[in-house]
Amino acid sequence: ESDEINVCVTGAAGQIGYAFLPLLLTGQCFGDKKINLRLLDVPQAESILQGVELELQDGAYPLLKSIKTGSDETALFKDVDVAVFIGGFPRKPGMERKDLLTINGNIFKKQGQALNTVAKKNCKSLVVANPANTNCLILAETAKSIPKQNFSALTRLDHNRAISQIALKAGCSITDVKNVIIWGNHSTTQYPDVNHGTVLGKRIRQFINDEAYLNNAFIERVQKRGGEVLAARKNSSVMSAANAVKDHLHDWYFGTKAGEFVSMGVYSDGSYGIPNGLIFSYPVTCANFNYQIVQGLHLDEFSKEKIRITTEELLSEKADAFSP
Ligand code: NAX
């Protein structure tokens, strides 16, 4: 196996890119592999991108083998092993959801075509840019020569938020909380599910012993956490998003711990009755840069209804994104 890895980050002149690159370049995603870094952004961001490159030089990262920057997908996706799609068009006031889906859909079609043509066939993709699940679906459907299992969307931030809220409520540390799940869309319809999780080895519901909290305030808080951060910081989640990108890539690449799972938006294969061909957040275990959807979890009526709602939203996003 090569001791180098070719990584492309899109939207690299933006906020999450800026917070993520130091994590990548200090070995927190792929260990001590040397990184051939490619940074993609739009032509208007060229000067900012050059500034980022200057700071990367000044970071004197021993793992940074080479840097290329620019706005040409075909040049920057050439032979990539990993592509992290952070770049996208932001929602502007008064913009309809369908417009956002269409604009980003076109970006992801173009990037999917480039990826299909020039990336390695075993290239792994992580989509962060919103609407993350549907952007990822368009990317996967466009880059047809790359297996669907190589595409994922980020719901790890939601997963981390859920773990953290449970740890705060339980008064224990993060590592004491295991196996919460984010089902569905990275949006306010996501379903943060504690039914299969534990705190210090005990069922979360038993340990917390507060059904009203777990079935209402907890779920809403995780679903709307992005808005809470936005209101307080007058800016979106950036540090926590970058950290989640790092966690997602690290666990996908190095594997999850025995008996533990994490949440990833992945191509649905019909598991848990979800229609095929959606990028859906599932509980997964990982090993050797592969994931498997955790099977056989029992879903109660409450969970089934929550999962139905987020599935409906993803189906309607898909219909909008793929309609002319
Ligand atoms: P920024 O606006 O700071 O950065 C986005 C960058 O993407 C900009 O530099 C822009 O020029 C670039 N860009 C736009 N179109 C591009 C294209 N066609 N090719 C390459 N680059 C392009 O946003 P930032 O705060 O970094 O957030 C990035 C994305 O992450 C947004 O779409 C945001 O909604 C999404 N998020 C997703 C999260 C998740 O959990 N999945 C959480 C955090 C974040 O909200």
Side-chain angles (χ1 to χ4, degrees), residues 11 13-16 41-42 86-88 107 111 128-130 154 186 237 241:
Q15 309 188 88
I16 296 174
D41 210 295
V42 294
I86 307 176
I107 292 175
Q111 297 188 346
V128 180
N130 280 318
L154 187 77
H186 168 69
S237 308

Side-chain angles (χ1 to χ4, degrees), residues 245-322:
V245 172
K246 177 265 287 172
D247 284 347
H248 178 114
L249 291 172
H250 173 276
D251 289 354
W252 195 6
Y253 183 75
F254 282 108
T256 43
K257 296 191 189 114
E260 290 185 31
F261 45 78
V262 294
S263 305
M264 277 170 67
V266 298
Y267 202 85
S268 70
D269 60 354
S271 293
Y272 298 98
I274 307 306
N276 283 68
L278 291 178
I279 297 288
F280 199 89
S281 182
Y282 278 110
V284 300
T285 56
C286 304
N288 305 316
F289 227 162
N290 282 304
Y291 70 81
Q292 278 196 304
I293 297 172
V294 175
Q295 299 295 330
L297 300 174
H298 173 74
L299 300 179
D300 61 14
E301 289 308 314
F302 180 87
S303 300
K304 282 184 187 158
E305 175 57 15
K306 296 277 185 214
I307 288 172
R308 188 191 62 75
I309 292 167
T310 195
T311 305
E312 288 296 316
E313 184 182 50
L314 281 169
L315 285 169
S316 95
E317 280 188 18
K318 179 177 179 177
D320 281 348
F322 283 84

